[in-house]
Amino acid sequence: MKDSMKKKHKFNVVDALIILIVVALIALVAFVFLFKGSSLLTKIFGGTGEKVEIYYAIEVNQLREALITNPQAGDTVYDAVRNYKIGTVVGTLSGDSEYIGGDKNGKAVATKYPGYQSLILIVKAEAVNTGREYSIDGYNIQSGANVNFDSTHLSATGYCIGLEVVENDAQKDAFWQSTASKIYYAETSDTPAK
């Protein structure tokens, strides 16, 4: 019995590999968090590191009709979690809020939510291309991202449904058209005439 208590675990190759993997993971996590948004990380992921003007669209579904006209061009948009300024509203699009479900035969049917509409905010911002996404003064955004935001006239949660670098008026108009054509919403404020 005393012999089994004296027996100690010997250090072997498997133990060394486990320690090496843990140290490497800790170093990787530290590197990503310490250099987030830096030019070194931007170069690693293929970004340009240059500031560009972007337009992005945030879609908010099932918003009460009374709130649809609240957001206005010129409103400042902030991230609701960390309070970063993430852009300025340049216009809005809105339309019926619909649910796609099935009828008794299994056919897809669109049903409108009475009293609710969907809203799209078109936001412009200065951002840095990091290669994976765009960084607006430390706030990272990309198409498909969940966006919790506060603006002067509305606080809500939506999704980024489109993002483009814009360098001239033709590109701005093309972004408006592509966003509107995806969803067939009615124009509600400060949208260019089409």
Side-chain angles (χ1 to χ4, degrees):
M1 201 185 250
K2 289 184 181 181
D3 290 336
S4 64
M5 294 182 94
K6 288 183 181 179
K7 192 174 187 181
K8 292 184 179 181
H9 180 72
K10 291 185 179 182
F11 189 76
N12 60 33
V13 175
V14 174
D15 295 331
L17 278 173
I18 291 171
I19 291 171
L20 186 65
I21 290 170
V22 169
V23 169
L25 286 173
I26 290 171
L28 178 65
V29 169
F31 176 78
V32 169
F33 282 106
L34 291 175
F35 295 104
K36 190 174 186 177
S38 73
S39 60
L40 176 62
L41 201 57
T42 298
K43 288 177 185 171
I44 289 171
F45 288 109
T48 63
E50 296 177 23
K51 270 206 169 191
V52 293
E53 184 178 49
I54 61 170
Y55 270 37
Y56 63 96
I58 303 171
E59 182 175 27
V60 180
N61 289 310
Q62 298 177 18
L63 190 63
R64 291 189 183 275
E65 287 179 340
L67 301 175
I68 287 294
T69 58
N70 282 7
Q72 300 167 6
D75 285 356
T76 302
V77 181
Y78 295 93
D79 169 48
V81 177
R82 289 176 258 155
N83 205 32
Y84 291 145
K85 180 181 176 186
I86 59 173
T88 304
V89 175
V90 293
T92 62
L93 303 168
S94 67
D96 293 327
S97 190
E98 295 182 338
Y99 168 76
I100 307 295
D103 65 7
K104 63 183 178 183
N105 299 321
K107 185 177 177 184
V109 177
T111 306
K112 294 180 183 176
Y113 283 106
Y116 290 88
Q117 289 200 327
S118 291
L119 172 72
I120 293 181
L121 294 176
I122 307 295
V123 181
K124 73 174 178 178
E126 292 290 317
V128 174
N129 179 349
T130 66
R132 296 182 299 173
E133 57 211 1
Y134 286 86
S135 177
I136 307 167
D137 294 329
Y139 178 83
N140 297 325
I141 190 159
Q142 61 186 353
S143 288
N146 188 23
V147 182
N148 298 306
F149 68 93
D150 291 327
S151 69
T152 311
H153 298 96
L154 181 68
S155 294
T157 297
Y159 291 93
C160 178
I161 61 167
L163 185 149
E164 294 288 333
V165 174
V166 293
E167 296 175 352
N168 55 48
D169 288 339
Q171 289 175 332
K172 292 175 187 177
D173 289 344
F175 182 77
W176 276 101
Q177 290 173 354
S178 70
T179 302
S181 68
K182 289 178 196 172
I183 46 169
Y184 307 106
Y185 285 55
E187 297 175 358
T188 58
S189 73
D190 296 337
T191 55
K194 302 287 183 261

